[in-house]
Amino acid sequence: MKKTILTGLRPTGNLHLGHLFGACQNYLKLQDDYDFYLEIADVQALTDNFDQPKKVRINVNEITMDLLAVGLDPKKVNFFIQSQIKEIAELTVFYSNLVTIARLERNPTVKAEIAQKKDLFGHNGESITYGFLGYPVSQAADITTFDGELIPVGEDQLPLIEQCREIVRKFNSIYGDTLKEPQPILSETTRIKGLDGNEKMGKSLGNAIFLIDDEETVQKKIMGAVTDPHKIRKDDPANPDICMVYYYHKLVNSKENIQKVCTECKSGTRGCVGCKRELIEKMNEFLAPIKERRKYYEEHPKEVEEILKNGTKKAQEKATEQMEKIKKAMMIDY
Ligand code: TRP
């Protein structure tokens, strides 16, 4: 029996290099050997986008096409839409008794998000909604509805997995041994820096290269990337370790070329403009096959719809089975 992998993504925008290196490459490695459920977490996306249903709806398709473009194989990965599996919502209600409000308020991921979203939740989080504060409970339901054992995630998600593990332990101790405690699997690269040198590449930070960016956009973005500020003239020696252009060369260029970029940069025989041009070329070469696959799906929307439909159907079968077990344990199996 293959072990079950479950992970989720909020459909709030297109995927960028941060997602690709931080998450998707991990999925690609795992897709062959596991029973893989990939949740398009539209209900979770609504917790902080409840006033933007159109944005969420559009991005369910966008993110699915991005994931397919990256090379995830719908024969191996069950893509499903969270809102279509009612058991997740049902289980969220059951779990809400097993977690205190104080514990949710202490969750580091939730805390960081509240601090980031001052316009939505107020300066001191005074306008935080019940739904947003509770999304870790719903995420625990996402995972356990499918008996998820291994959860490939970025570092920022670890507190949410821990919260799920606590809920599972509490459930099992009260209602009897029913649920599996999930384990996170971290990617080798957990975080990709932004074009501006920020530790994190993010859509809202405006420092990302998206997988769908066209060649001109890539060019413009890389031309504006942060380099060693001490390098003024073309032949000044510089420090590649504080240069974002070198950082991205390391992601998309060949070993040999990376070495060359590094040595020439340090010795002052490489100008930044030329170095950026080389990166633009390599980045566009790197993104080309992804965009080509994406184009296929853009031209075959029915196929995308079918992939989501089939994946959701398979997810539903598993959810029904699991819910029976859970209701029995909770003595609500009428
Ligand atoms: N919280 C995750 C994110 O923001 C998305 C997510 C939803 C998820 N459900 C999940 C991740 C279940 C792992 C497991 O990216």
Side-chain angles (χ1 to χ4, degrees):
M1 268 278 272
K2 285 182 178 177
K3 282 198 172 178
T4 303
I5 287 207
L6 181 130
T7 194
L9 289 153
R10 289 185 196 181
T12 51
N14 285 102
L15 298 184
H16 51 62
L17 291 181
H19 298 112
L20 178 64
F21 289 100
C24 299
Q25 288 195 335
N26 207 9
Y27 303 165
L28 287 172
K29 267 189 269 167
L30 297 165
Q31 68 174 346
D32 293 320
D33 304 320
Y34 296 92
D35 199 10
F36 199 144
Y37 291 85
L38 206 164
E39 176 184 277
I40 311 296
D42 58 344
V43 176
Q44 190 175 116
L46 284 167
T47 60
D48 57 346
N49 290 280
F50 50 84
D51 53 350
Q52 299 180 74
K54 203 165 172 184
K55 170 180 158 189
V56 175
R57 178 65 189 245
I58 288 170
N59 280 304
V60 167
N61 262 319
E62 287 295 307
I63 210 166
T64 304
M65 286 196 287
D66 282 349
L67 289 163
L68 291 166
V70 161
L72 287 180
D73 179 350
K75 289 196 202 73
K76 298 174 183 162
V77 178
N78 290 302
F79 289 79
F80 72 96
I81 306 177
Q82 183 188 13
S83 60
Q84 301 311 295
I85 307 292
K86 296 188 179 61
E87 285 78 358
I88 299 174
E90 204 177 356
L91 200 48
T92 303
V93 174
F94 302 160
Y95 287 171
S96 63
N97 297 322
L98 307 180
V99 56
T100 65
I101 289 167
R103 174 64 180 88
L104 289 169
E105 282 171 342
R106 275 200 308 273
N107 185 308
T109 310
V110 176
K111 256 167 105 169
E113 281 172 291
I114 296 170
Q116 262 171 30
K117 298 175 207 286
K118 291 194 169 56
D119 44 339
L120 197 59
F121 298 138
H123 274 274
N124 303 308
E126 64 277 7
S127 310
I128 176 116
T129 60
Y130 168 64
F132 187 82
L133 184 66
Y135 93 73
V137 183
S138 157
Q139 186 155 324
D142 292 344
I143 294 170
T144 52
T145 298
F146 303 94
D147 232 353
E149 291 167 87
L150 300 169
I151 319 296
V153 282
E155 231 172 357
D156 64 313
Q157 294 290 304
L158 292 179
L160 296 166
I161 309 298
E162 190 45 43
Q163 182 110 54
C164 175
R165 290 164 60 87
E166 281 175 32
I167 291 173
V168 165
R169 285 197 293 267
K170 186 123 191 208
F171 185 101
N172 287 342
S173 75
I174 299 170
Y175 305 113
D177 223 357
T178 315
L179 306 169
K180 290 189 186 120
E181 258 185 69
Q183 303 279 351
I185 319 181
L186 281 181
S187 334
E188 278 163 47
T189 332
T190 49
R191 196 166 271 187
I192 294 293
K193 292 186 191 176
L195 289 155
D196 56 355
N198 192 309
E199 280 306 309
K200 192 178 171 189
M201 181 178 276
K203 180 184 36 163
S204 50
L205 299 166
N207 63 3
I209 295 180
F210 291 92
L211 304 182
I212 54 161
D213 279 347
D214 59 27
E215 297 199 349
E216 260 167 47
T217 309
V218 169
Q219 177 175 349
K220 233 190 274 156
K221 286 183 175 174
I222 290 179
M223 278 301 175
V226 166
T227 54
D228 180 351
H230 305 295
K231 179 167 167 125
I232 313 285
R233 279 173 299 262
K234 184 168 167 247
D235 47 5
D236 285 344
N239 177 7
D241 292 330
I242 56 169
C243 172
M244 286 304 108
V245 178
Y246 178 61
Y247 180 85
Y248 295 123
H249 269 294
K250 286 192 287 187
L251 296 176
V252 296
N253 212 335
S254 68
K255 258 209 172 96
E256 221 180 8
N257 284 339
I258 295 166
Q259 194 54 47
K260 197 161 155 254
V261 173
C262 181
T263 335
E264 290 180 358
C265 175
K266 281 184 176 161
S267 64
T269 53
R270 165 174 285 257
C272 288
V273 174
C275 188
K276 284 177 172 174
R277 287 206 192 291
E278 182 181 335
L279 176 63
I280 291 162
E281 194 188 312
K282 296 291 170 192
M283 185 65 77
N284 280 326
E285 271 172 29
F286 175 80
L287 293 175
I290 298 178
K291 279 188 284 194
E292 204 171 297
R293 262 193 302 263
R294 199 182 198 282
K295 191 157 164 265
Y296 171 84
Y297 288 108
E298 281 166 14
E299 288 165 357
H300 297 82
K302 277 266 171 305
E303 218 168 295
V304 179
E305 211 177 286
E306 224 23 58
I307 287 167
L308 285 169
K309 214 184 251 168
N310 290 338
T312 303
K313 193 164 158 236
K314 182 138 183 251
Q316 182 60 62
E317 285 165 20
K318 185 122 178 180
T320 307
E321 207 181 288
Q322 177 78 339
M323 194 45 120
E324 245 173 63
K325 243 177 33 188
I326 288 170
K327 286 192 166 167
K328 194 157 175 231
M330 294 180 70
M331 299 187 182
I332 48 175
D333 55 331
Y334 295 98

